[in-house]
Amino acid sequence: SSFAQALRPTSSYHFLTAVAALMLLARNNLASSHCLASAVVRSLAALKPGDLLFVDEPRHPSNELHYAMSCVSDKTMNWLQQRGANITNRDTSFHVAIVESVGPAASVIDAVRGAGVRRVPLPVFLYSWSANCTIYHGRLRGTSEAQAREAVAFAQGKLGLPYSEEYLPPRGEVEEYYCSSLVDYAYREALAAELVFTDEPFRMIFDPMHFWTKHLKKNKTLPTQFGSNPTLLLQSPRVEYSKTPFGHFAKSRQTHGLGA
């Protein structure tokens, strides 16, 4: 899209530059673009360190990975509803990041396959997803600013650690994270709680089994441990979230794959 092209990140790219570019684009189509620019500015102003950004990309039922992601999300929401969660919108997510800082040098921390736990400038993060993606802004209810910053500090302390290809929890001598486990354990540490997003441990869902058995090549059998996934965090009763206009920054390319 014209928005994505104008906001292509560079090494000298800062977040306020993105807003300025968006405002200039508004002159081309004042009616719709000005509304979008205003929405982006409001969404930027609402971000705080410790907030969560959830990403969901367009899914096609004929795509085996997309179908499997939808199955996992649906069963996750069913699990939450069986335990009393009031899910009014069946919104889903396949990746989650924690906001590290805001303002001109805004950044997020996340865990991704191939890079592990990393720090990413916010404009680069927004640009990296497929066109027409949806990005939600989430915040953990009842947490103080100090607790949110403790969660950020935890994530900062894990920079450079490997991605958990087998979706295993961090353990002693082998500490690694997938995207939702990084956020989950960050807030467990910040709140000094055994569980934060659910009232009971969530056993990992792998459905359909034949797909995940093939997808997780290192294991002959699927993992059976407790864990999390982005939809579990998004739909947690502890999280309040809203849809943002940030998806307009995304470039056009194929879906990454499950972030978990």
Side-chain angles (χ1 to χ4, degrees):
S1 68
S2 60
F3 286 102
Q5 292 168 359
L7 300 174
R8 185 182 299 276
T10 66
S11 59
S12 61
Y13 191 76
H14 293 290
F15 203 24
L16 290 186
T17 306
V19 179
L22 192 57
M23 297 300 286
L24 289 173
L25 280 171
R27 297 175 183 175
N28 296 330
N29 186 350
L30 191 59
S32 59
S33 298
H34 181 68
C35 291
L36 176 59
S38 298
V40 168
V41 171
R42 289 195 301 270
S43 295
L44 292 178
L47 287 179
K48 295 182 179 180
D51 285 355
L52 308 177
L53 290 178
F54 295 91
V55 182
D56 204 26
E57 294 192 323
R59 299 181 191 175
H60 306 285
S62 60
N63 182 296
E64 196 174 15
L65 173 61
H66 293 187
Y67 176 73
M69 291 162 63
S70 295
C71 288
V72 170
S73 292
D74 284 341
K75 290 201 170 185
T76 296
M77 289 186 284
N78 292 343
W79 185 91
L80 286 167
Q81 287 179 311
Q82 290 165 6
R83 287 153 181 81
N86 180 24
I87 297 177
T88 54
N89 297 309
R90 293 183 72 83
D91 297 320
T92 62
S93 171
F94 82 96
H95 187 71
V96 60
I98 187 167
V99 176
E100 179 186 26
S101 59
V102 297
S107 61
V108 302
I109 297 176
D110 64 0
V112 296
R113 181 174 285 109
V117 181
R118 60 176 189 167
R119 172 186 288 117
V120 189
L122 184 53
V124 176
F125 176 80
L126 299 179
Y127 178 78
S128 66
W129 307 106
S130 300
N132 301 315
C133 71
T134 301
I135 299 179
Y136 301 100
H137 172 201
R139 182 173 296 160
L140 203 61
R141 303 176 192 271
T143 54
S144 66
E145 183 176 320
Q147 289 170 325
R149 291 191 179 278
E150 283 185 43
V152 171
F154 177 93
Q156 290 171 327
K158 307 306 175 184
L159 288 168
L161 288 179
Y163 183 83
S164 181
E165 295 284 353
E166 300 175 27
Y167 304 112
L168 296 172
R171 53 201 194 284
E173 69 287 354
V174 183
E175 189 177 9
E176 54 190 24
Y177 295 88
Y178 51 93
C179 73
S180 59
S181 73
L182 178 66
V183 171
D184 183 18
Y185 280 88
Y187 271 103
R188 291 190 193 196
E189 176 73 15
L191 301 179
E194 186 65 29
L195 292 172
V196 173
F197 293 92
T198 58
D199 291 330
E200 64 180 88
F202 173 80
R203 192 170 295 282
M204 298 288 281
I205 294 173
F206 295 99
D207 182 58
M209 291 184 64
H210 71 273
F211 170 82
W212 292 110
T213 300
K214 180 176 64 176
H215 185 70
L216 301 176
K217 298 176 183 177
K218 292 183 179 180
N219 281 341
K220 294 182 179 179
T221 59
L222 292 175
T224 59
Q225 74 280 349
F226 296 116
S228 62
N229 65 53
T231 296
L232 182 77
L233 273 55
L234 178 71
Q235 293 290 358
S236 166
R238 290 292 308 273
V239 172
E240 54 182 344
Y241 74 90
S242 60
K243 184 178 178 180
T244 76
F246 294 150
H248 290 277
F249 288 82
K251 65 179 178 179
S252 178
R253 69 194 197 95
Q254 296 300 313
T255 302
H256 290 237
L258 189 69

